[in-house]
């Protein structure tokens, strides 16, 4: 007898996470293409929702990586940025993959801040 899978959990279990925000240059490509390239670089990913302003000038796309359990927001407002929460043991992998993703998006990482907005690097 085939059993249908149960519903997906509404939330993830608590685990310690580090928060980083990568401020980006705008780059030459449109938002939709930058988002596609970002998600492709971090694939596989799963949607966690999105928000768009009434004028569609500002938007946020929320998603998670499936294999590493990183939680991301791609924020196309001002400032243009990627926000990420990840387990502490993934720090170096996050840095490598996000810098490579930014390059694929045609963007430059201008600044990195922590949870309290403290500047960490250029």
């Amino acid at each position: 007898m085939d059993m249908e899978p149960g519903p997906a959990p509404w939330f993830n279990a608590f685990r310690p996470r580090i928060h980083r925000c990568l401020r980006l240059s705008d780059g030459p490509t449109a938002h939709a293409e930058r988002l596609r390239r970002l998600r492709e670089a971090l694939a596989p990913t799963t949607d966690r929702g999105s928000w768009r302003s009434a004028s569609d000038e500002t938007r946020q796309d929320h998603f998670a990586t499936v294999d590493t359990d990183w939680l991301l927001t791609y924020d196309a407002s001002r400032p243009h940025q990627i926000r990420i929460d990840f387990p502490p043991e993934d720090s170096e992998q996050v840095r490598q993959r996000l810098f490579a993703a930014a390059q694929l998006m045609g963007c430059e990482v201008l600044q990195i801040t922590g949870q309290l907005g403290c500047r960490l690097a250029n």
Side-chain angles (χ1 to χ4, degrees):
M1 174 172 153
D2 281 340
M3 298 286 294
E4 289 187 34
W10 285 17
F11 58 89
N12 295 343
F14 172 79
R15 67 190 294 187
R17 293 183 186 269
I18 293 175
H19 175 82
R20 292 291 180 261
C21 182
L22 282 72
R23 187 170 178 195
L24 305 172
S25 65
D26 283 328
T29 57
H31 170 80
E33 179 62 16
R34 290 190 310 253
L35 175 61
R36 185 193 68 74
R37 291 177 186 183
L38 172 61
R39 290 190 69 163
E40 187 175 277
L42 301 174
T45 64
T46 185
D47 287 327
R48 292 178 60 92
S50 63
W51 173 85
R52 310 260 186 288
S53 68
S55 63
D56 205 31
E57 290 179 24
T58 58
R59 56 198 300 166
Q60 294 178 342
D61 294 281
H62 309 283
F63 62 97
T65 58
V66 173
D67 56 346
T68 56
D69 193 27
W70 303 343
L71 308 176
L72 294 103
T73 297
Y74 179 45
D75 193 346
S77 56
R78 297 288 181 244
H80 176 218
Q81 60 192 351
I82 299 169
R83 291 181 282 150
I84 184 169
D85 292 302
F86 58 91
E89 62 272 14
D90 291 351
S91 292
E92 187 53 36
Q93 185 181 12
V94 164
R95 181 176 175 79
Q96 290 173 5
R97 289 182 70 186
L98 283 183
F99 271 73
Q103 186 175 18
L104 289 172
M105 295 165 68
C107 300
E108 180 183 340
V109 176
L110 302 174
Q111 183 179 33
I112 302 171
T113 58
Q115 185 165 359
L116 300 176
C118 299
R119 188 175 179 166
L120 301 175
N122 291 18

